[in-house]
Amino acid sequence: MLNLIKNDPWLEPYADAINGRHDFVLRKEKELTQNGKQTLSDFACGHLFFGLHQTEKGWVFREWAPNASKIYLIGTFNGWKDDKQYALKAKKNGVWEIELPQNAIHHEDLYKLHIYWEGGNGERIPAWATRVVQDEQTHIFSAQVWEPEKQYVFKVKKFRPKRSPLLIYECHIGMAQAEEKVGSYVEFKEKILPRIAKAGYNCIQIMAIQEHPYYGSFGYHVSSFFAASSRFGTPEELKDLIDTAHQQGIAVIMDIVHSHAVKNELEGLGNFAGDPCQYFYAGGRREHPAWDSLCFDYGKNEVLHFLLSNCKFWMDEYHFDGFRFDGVTSMLYYSHGLGEAFMGYGDYYNGNEDDNAICYLTLANKLIHQVHPNAITIAEEVSGMPGLALKVEDGGYGFDYRMAMNIPDYWIKTIKELRDEDWKPSSLFWEVTNRRQDEKTISYVESHDQALVGDKTVIFRLIDADMYWHMQKGDESDLVHRGIALHKMIRLLTASTINGGYLNFMGNEFGHPEWIDFPRQGNNWSYKYARRQWDLTDNKNLNYHYLGDFDEAMIQTLCSIPRIQSSKVREIWHNDGDQVLAYMRDDLLFVFNFNPCKSFTDYGFLVPRGSYEVVLNTDNPAYGGYGNTDDSIRHFTMFDPVHKRYHKEWLKLYIPARTAIVLKRHK
C-alpha cells in the first residue's frame, strides 16, 4: 500500500484511482526513458538539440514543426527574405534542420522562421529560442543570436538552499525599483538584493522571467519559454544576479508557467506551423475559459519533452534552485477548478482530473530532483488535492511544498467581515495550522495576488485612506495605530506556525501603501504603481520602517531555533472570550492578546518549568508600539503541586491589549 493511503485511511476508498495514477507515471517514465536505458534527465535535453547552437564548423539550427512544408531562417543577416542558403531540410519525426558556416550569422543578429504550410505561411519566433528582444519603435519581437565571446562563469558552482526554515521573498525584477520605469537585473542585484539579505530572507522567488509579450500580464502569459525576459537585461546579467545571491546564501527559484501559454501567434506557439494544436489540446480544451490563453496537451510526448527540457534548461543554464509552479489547480482538473467546491475526497477522484497533467507534474518533480537533489519545488494549488507535496514513491506528486492558500483568504475574510471584538483565537490558530500532516506547506499572509489593482493589501484593509495622511510619526490616527499593531500580529502568527516555509511579497513587509497597476491604456501607460517606494521605509520620520524592522526581528527570532519548521506547534492556551492565545515551539513561547481594549495583569499559563525572557514584543517602541511592558524582566514559573508530575508550572504575565510577545525558555 502506498504511504499516501497509509498516512490517511480516509483515502482507502480511492485506492484504485491513486494506484492507477501512480502506475501511469511509472509506465510513462519507462516509455520516455526507453525502458530505463536512459534517465529522465537524459530525456529532458531538448534544449541541447533544438534551437540555434554554435558548433566547431559554424552553426546548427533545429525546430520541431511536423505540419510545415517549407521553413526558411530569415533575419538581419539576409534582409528578412527567403533565401535558399537559409532553407531548412526536413528530417524524421517532424524535425527540420539547417547547418550554416560561421560567417552566416553573428552575435546579436535578429532572426525568425518563415514557415509555410498547406494553405498558408507566417513568420514565427523559434519555440526553443533562448533570447528574444522587442524593437523599441515597432514593438515587434524577434529572436536574437546570443553567443558572446565572453561567457559568464559562475563563481558558486554548487549551491545548497537553506530550509531551516525556508524564507521566501517573492519579487519582480521590473517593478522592484523606486523609479517609474522597468527595473533591470543589475539594479536588482545592486539595490534590492542587499535589502533582502539584511531582512533575513534566504530565498527569492522571481516572477516574470520567461519572456512574455505583455508586461502587464505579470509574466503569466508566456510566449518564449526558454528566453529570459530581455526587458530586464541580458542573460549574463541574470546569471550574475543569481550567482551574487548564491554568494550571499540566498537561493533563487523561478515562478515557472507551464499551466498555459499566451494565445499570440506571431510571438508564441498559438499556431506555430499552421497547426493550432501542435502544442495544445484540441477542441474545447484548447483555450482556457478564464485566462484567455492556451492549454498544453500533456498527453503528447513531444510536449512532455518540451516542458521537461524547459525545467532542466533553467537549472543548467542559469543555476536556478527550483521552481514555484503556477496554476497547478488549473492543470489538475478538466474544469480548471472553476466553479468547484472541493468539499470532500470524492471531488479529487471523480473523473474530472487530467491524468496527463498529473503525470507531467509528477515527472517534472522527479526530473528536477534528479538534476538537482536539493532543488525546491512549490505548487500553487488551491483545491487541496491529497499527495501533492508527498514523495513520488509514496504515491504523491513529488512537490517539496504546497502553498497554504487558505491562509491569506482567511485573513482577508476576517478583516473584512469581523469586528476586532469578534476575532476568535481558536479559529485563527486552527486556520494557520490546518494542513495535511504528511505534506509541507509555504505559509503566507499575502502574495502578489493580494496586491494587484482592484484588490487591497492587508495594511490597506486595516488602515485605508489614513495611509495617505497619518503615517507620519506623531500624527498617527487610532486607525493607524490599530493597523500597525495587527499587521505585526497577523504576520507573527502566520510565520511562527509554519511547517515548511514562509513567503512575503516585496514591500509588504513594511506595509507598502499602493496596489500594483502595470502600464496600460486605462492609466495612460503609467509606471506610477508598477514600482516599490523604498523611500517610505528608509524615512525614519514615517511609521513604515517600524513594520520592516519588526519583520527583520521576527525572522531572526524564528531562525534562532534550529529547524523550527519541523518542531511541533504545541497549543498552551486559548480563550475566545479574552481573545488570548498561547503556544510553544521548542523553547519559544508565543503569547497573543487580540483583545482591542482589554489588557490583562497576571494572566496565567501552565508551561514547562523554567525562566522566560522576552525576545520579541510587538508593543516594543522600536516597532511602533507603546512600550507598556518592561521586557528586561525575566519571568519565573511558579510551582504547582497539582501539575508536578507533568513538569508544568504557572507563568503569569502582563499582556497589553492588541499585542503579541515571544519569550524564550531557559531550563
Side-chain angles (χ1 to χ4, degrees):
M1 182 184 291
L2 294 169
N3 284 336
L4 173 60
I5 303 171
K6 284 183 182 179
N7 295 344
D8 187 351
W10 291 99
L11 287 172
E12 288 183 11
Y14 311 102
D16 288 347
I18 293 170
N19 288 320
R21 291 176 190 175
H22 182 70
D23 292 342
F24 180 42
V25 171
L26 298 181
R27 289 197 304 272
K28 179 57 71 174
E29 181 181 12
K30 193 174 181 181
E31 177 187 345
L32 299 179
T33 60
Q34 302 176 27
N35 291 320
K37 292 181 181 178
Q38 61 179 358
T39 65
L40 268 180
S41 181
D42 295 328
F43 170 76
C45 286
H47 54 289
L48 301 178
F49 179 79
F50 289 110
L52 180 66
H53 300 280
Q54 208 166 22
T55 67
E56 292 182 1
K57 297 180 180 179
W59 303 87
V60 62
F61 177 88
R62 301 185 187 94
E63 189 69 62
W64 176 58
N67 199 52
S69 56
K70 287 189 299 183
I71 302 180
Y72 292 94
L73 194 67
I74 61 174
T76 50
F77 41 81
N78 62 7
W80 298 98
K81 302 293 184 182
D82 293 352
D83 186 329
K84 290 183 180 180
Q85 179 187 347
Y86 293 90
L88 277 68
K89 296 179 180 179
K91 301 292 183 178
K92 294 180 180 179
N93 303 317
V95 175
W96 293 76
E97 181 182 271
I98 184 172
E99 294 185 21
L100 294 167
Q102 190 67 49
N103 63 355
I105 54 176
H106 304 88
H107 174 59
E108 294 189 327
D109 277 346
L110 301 180
Y111 69 99
K112 290 184 181 180
L113 299 177
H114 189 187
I115 305 179
Y116 291 81
W117 56 85
E118 185 178 348
N121 68 90
E123 294 182 1
R124 298 290 186 265
I125 293 175
W128 300 77
T130 57
R131 172 76 170 166
V132 175
V133 296
Q134 185 179 27
D135 185 274
E136 293 184 3
Q137 277 72 46
T138 65
H139 305 297
I140 293 174
F141 285 86
S142 303
Q144 186 177 42
V145 179
W146 198 259
E147 286 291 344
E149 289 185 15
K150 189 175 181 181
Q151 300 284 336
Y152 186 85
V153 178
F154 284 90
K155 298 177 180 65
V156 179
K157 304 301 181 183
K158 291 185 179 180
F159 181 79
R160 188 185 183 98
K162 300 174 185 175
R163 305 193 192 210
S164 301
L166 182 63
L167 300 163
I168 303 172
Y169 200 84
E170 184 186 27
C171 51
H172 182 282
I173 300 295
M175 60 169 287
Q177 306 307 312
E179 297 80 14
E180 295 183 26
K181 64 170 189 173
V182 177
S184 70
Y185 297 124
V186 172
E187 289 170 316
F188 190 96
K189 180 193 75 171
E190 294 176 350
K191 297 179 181 180
I192 312 305
L193 201 58
R195 291 181 181 272
I196 298 170
K198 180 180 181 298
Y201 290 88
N202 55 29
C203 178
I204 55 175
Q205 176 182 305
I206 310 182
M207 309 173 67
I209 289 295
Q210 295 167 295
E211 192 60 83
H212 45 290
Y214 179 45
Y215 186 50
S217 75
F218 231 144
Y220 290 120
H221 276 194
V222 175
S223 52
S224 296
F225 287 79
F226 289 84
S229 180
S230 60
R231 286 183 182 86
F232 314 134
T234 67
E236 281 66 39
E237 289 165 347
L238 175 55
K239 291 174 183 178
D240 187 27
L241 163 59
I242 295 171
D243 200 19
T244 303
H246 286 166
Q247 292 172 57
Q248 298 181 29
I250 298 173
V252 185
I253 61 176
M254 183 173 128
D255 196 345
I256 199 167
V257 184
H258 283 177
S259 49
H260 62 136
V262 72
K263 292 170 73 173
N264 301 34
E265 295 183 1
L266 295 180
E267 294 88 3
L269 306 174
N271 185 22
F272 189 70
D275 179 5
C277 301
Q278 179 176 332
Y279 286 94
F280 308 106
Y281 280 123
R285 296 186 60 198
R286 182 172 182 268
E287 295 192 16
H288 196 293
W291 295 348
D292 192 32
S293 55
L294 303 178
C295 302
F296 283 107
D297 184 349
Y298 306 103
K300 282 185 178 179
N301 286 355
E302 294 88 350
V303 174
L304 292 179
H305 188 230
F306 180 80
L307 295 176
L308 290 173
S309 298
N310 192 235
C311 294
K312 186 177 179 182
F313 166 79
W314 289 109
M315 290 190 289
D316 280 358
E317 184 69 19
Y318 286 92
H319 290 203
F320 276 98
D321 299 297
F323 306 95
R324 178 264 202 186
F325 278 75
D326 173 68
V328 170
T329 303
S330 176
M331 299 171 70
L332 294 177
Y333 305 98
Y334 294 134
S335 65
H336 304 295
L338 301 173
E340 303 282 350
F342 299 106
M343 298 299 290
Y345 278 173
D347 294 334
Y348 306 119
Y349 308 100
N350 62 8
N352 179 36
E353 301 77 39
D354 186 343
D355 288 342
N356 290 331
I358 291 172
C359 180
Y360 164 66
L361 289 169
T362 309
L363 291 174
N365 277 296
K366 288 197 74 171
L367 164 75
I368 291 164
H369 292 99
Q370 196 174 95
V371 174
H372 187 346
N374 298 307
I376 298 165
T377 59
I378 305 169
E380 188 224 17
E381 207 282 317
V382 72
S383 77
M385 171 71 80
L388 201 65
L390 200 64
K391 292 180 179 179
V392 176
E393 54 265 34
D394 292 334
Y397 302 166
F399 285 97
D400 295 298
Y401 307 93
R402 62 192 308 158
M403 301 291 290
M405 300 183 74
N406 60 300
I407 296 177
D409 290 343
Y410 178 80
W411 283 124
I412 291 170
K413 182 178 176 66
T414 298
I415 295 168
K416 282 176 63 176
E417 299 180 5
L418 297 180
R419 302 180 309 150
D420 291 3
E421 292 83 355
D422 296 328
W423 289 29
K424 297 185 182 300
S426 60
S427 177
L428 303 177
F429 185 72
W430 186 87
E431 196 67 38
V432 295
T433 56
N434 175 29
R435 54 213 172 203
R436 297 183 63 81
Q437 294 305 303
D438 55 354
E439 299 188 46
K440 300 295 184 185
T441 59
I442 301 297
S443 298
Y444 63 108
V445 175
E446 52 190 340
S447 67
H448 72 274
D449 285 328
Q450 287 73 39
L452 289 170
V453 63
D455 206 339
K456 288 184 179 181
T457 58
V458 165
I459 194 67
F460 210 89
R461 289 185 185 279
L462 292 169
I463 300 180
D464 216 323
D466 278 20
M467 290 286 291
Y468 299 115
W469 310 109
H470 297 289
M471 284 297 281
Q472 187 162 336
K473 290 181 181 179
D475 188 39
E476 302 91 344
S477 64
D478 289 341
L479 204 59
V480 167
H481 282 302
R482 167 187 177 265
I484 290 174
L486 288 176
H487 192 270
K488 292 177 289 186
M489 296 178 72
I490 288 170
R491 276 168 159 66
L492 179 60
L493 179 56
T494 304
S496 63
T497 51
I498 59 171
N499 77 329
Y502 174 73
L503 177 141
N504 168 70
F505 178 68
M506 68 176 177
N508 286 354
E509 72 277 9
F510 67 82
H512 198 282
E514 304 289 5
W515 57 29
I516 301 162
D517 189 11
F518 283 95
R520 56 187 174 86
Q521 191 170 7
N523 64 15
N524 294 319
W525 305 102
S526 169
Y527 286 88
K528 181 176 176 61
Y529 298 110
R531 62 192 181 107
R532 298 281 90 178
Q533 299 179 53
W534 302 105
D535 59 305
L536 295 176
T537 189
D538 293 339
N539 188 341
K540 302 307 179 184
N541 293 317
L542 301 176
N543 282 282
Y544 295 98
H545 81 88
Y546 286 139
L547 301 178
D549 293 345
F550 175 80
D551 194 76
E552 182 178 339
M554 177 183 76
I555 286 176
Q556 288 177 354
T557 301
L558 298 179
C559 291
S560 69
I561 299 295
R563 295 178 295 280
I564 189 171
Q565 79 284 356
S566 301
S567 64
K568 187 177 180 180
V569 183
R570 297 171 289 155
E571 184 178 2
I572 299 298
W573 173 262
H574 79 259
N575 185 306
D576 287 344
D578 294 340
Q579 295 183 272
V580 173
L581 170 69
Y583 54 89
M584 290 193 74
R585 298 202 79 162
D586 201 82
D587 284 329
L588 290 184
L589 171 64
F590 299 84
V591 181
F592 291 80
N593 179 10
F594 281 97
N595 201 302
C597 52
K598 287 185 181 180
S599 300
F600 298 99
T601 303
D602 293 333
Y603 204 97
F605 310 100
L606 281 169
V607 298
R609 71 166 64 112
S611 64
Y612 290 76
E613 64 171 335
V614 175
V615 293
L616 185 65
N617 187 347
T618 63
D619 195 44
N620 190 323
Y623 313 128
Y626 292 103
N628 286 322
T629 58
D630 184 351
D631 292 343
S632 66
I633 295 175
R634 179 165 290 203
H635 303 270
F636 293 87
T637 56
M638 293 178 286
F639 177 71
D640 185 336
V642 175
H643 301 283
K644 179 180 179 181
R645 71 173 68 179
Y646 305 110
H647 305 287
K648 297 287 183 68
E649 295 185 350
W650 288 100
L651 180 69
K652 294 191 174 183
L653 302 171
Y654 172 58
I655 320 172
R658 204 179 270 147
T659 62
I661 308 168
V662 185
L663 303 100
K664 183 176 177 61
R665 176 191 175 220
H666 297 277
K667 300 175 183 178

